[in-house]
Amino acid sequence: MRLQVVGKTDIGSVREENQDALGEVRLDEESAFLVVADGMGGYAGGSLAARLAVETLLEYVKSSWTGKKDPRSLLREAVAEANARVRERAMHTEGLADMGTTCVCALVSGSRCYLAHVGDSRAYLFRRGLFTLLTEDHTVIQQLINQGKVKPQEASYHPSAGILMRCLGQLESVEPDVSGPIELQEGDRLLLCSDGLTGMVYEDEIAEVLKGRDMAQVVEELVRMANEAGGFDNITVQILQAGTFPEDAATWPVIVDSPEGIALMAAEGRLPKDPEELGHLRHTRVLEVVREPAVESEETVPADLPEWDPGRERFYKLLVTAAVAALLAGGLVYFLVR
Ligand code: CA
């Protein structure tokens, strides 16, 4: 499948510096790696952290890519390397001790897409009008939502909005959320973005724009909308399109598949249904999309497989043997009695 990538970063309307960064690298004819990072920590620190992370991730993935390794392991290693590089610079440079960055990365190989992220930069899948959030923010507010202490629609107004639970460059090790493969279909679009977009523009409005045919125009329009809404933060969007974009996109109804988006729309009376119910639906759907069966590759074993237990296997074999013996004996008895 042909992969097209278009991205843009913009300083926004308020900040004095753009601390977001983005990058993309082609790995082979049908594989690409893309990343968006959102830096933080003092003047110059944030932009340096984001650029350093993007640089490191691109370099690492490009130089380690063989097409054979489990992409999820590769993503984990790349994120660890980026974390180490940013942290090293932060520790050894005057005034940069508190710099850090988020990252959201996608590795697409053929029709398979793998994701890794740390922080609150997000990945969405846009498929025939269905706009699905694929990542869960590593933020205090997300944790409060998960614990049922804050409603999703209150998230953006909450005092702890924007406080990260995880980022690159601050601790010796960081655990990214890694997922995939998601099986991409012809015409699918993957959106990676910083919170300068999602904090300013409703998800259903983002999805509406994604119906546009011209990717460069879509990217421009998203940045324009974030700025028009206030542009309080740096804005970064990067879109990957798999194959050819369908002709009938303009007719697609938009369905937002994200708890925050659904709750917001419901709170504003833009949804006819009970948000609780939709939230539940959404959750199961995302799980289906993100946690599809692991790659059937021969060379790698998923890390989360239960350990082989010879004792247990013997027990099952014994059980099957006993069952077969019982059946045979039963048949014999039946035959004799008859
Ligand atoms: Ca930001």
Side-chain angles (χ1 to χ4, degrees), residues 48-128:
L48 175 63
R51 275 185 288 119
L52 203 54
V54 167
E55 221 172 81
T56 309
L57 287 160
L58 294 177
E59 262 174 42
Y60 191 93
V61 172
K62 189 171 171 111
S63 64
S64 315
W65 176 254
T66 59
K68 294 214 167 97
K69 190 173 187 166
D70 182 347
R72 289 164 295 190
S73 314
L74 181 58
L75 286 172
R76 272 196 194 91
E77 288 168 19
V79 169
E81 182 66 23
N83 181 58
R85 194 93 71 89
V86 176
R87 184 160 186 265
E88 151 93 23
R89 188 74 72 89
M91 286 196 308
H92 294 109
T93 318
E94 180 88 33
L96 295 182
D98 60 349
M99 77 173 181
T101 182
T102 72
C103 74
V104 57
C105 332
L107 202 169
V108 179
S109 181
S111 61
R112 286 180 167 163
C113 168
Y114 301 83
L115 299 170
H117 85 287
V118 173
D120 63 353
S121 298
R122 295 179 176 176
Y124 290 89
L125 178 67
F126 182 71
R127 172 175 292 167
R128 302 196 68 83

Side-chain angles (χ1 to χ4, degrees), residues 29-51:
E29 255 173 36
E30 51 167 20
S31 306
F33 173 73
L34 47 157
V35 55
V36 162
D38 175 354
M40 72 216 70
Y43 192 72
S47 57
L48 175 63
R51 275 185 288 119

Side-chain angles (χ1 to χ4, degrees), residues 239-262:
I239 299 173
L240 173 139
Q241 181 180 295
T244 314
F245 199 58
E247 294 285 342
D248 62 342
T251 66
W252 296 342
V254 157
I255 302 168
V256 171
D257 193 6
S258 123
E260 195 183 313
I262 288 166

Side-chain angles (χ1 to χ4, degrees), residues 13 16 39 94 155 179 220 246 288:
S13 311
E16 288 181 355
E94 180 88 33
S179 59
E220 289 293 336
E288 274 167 25

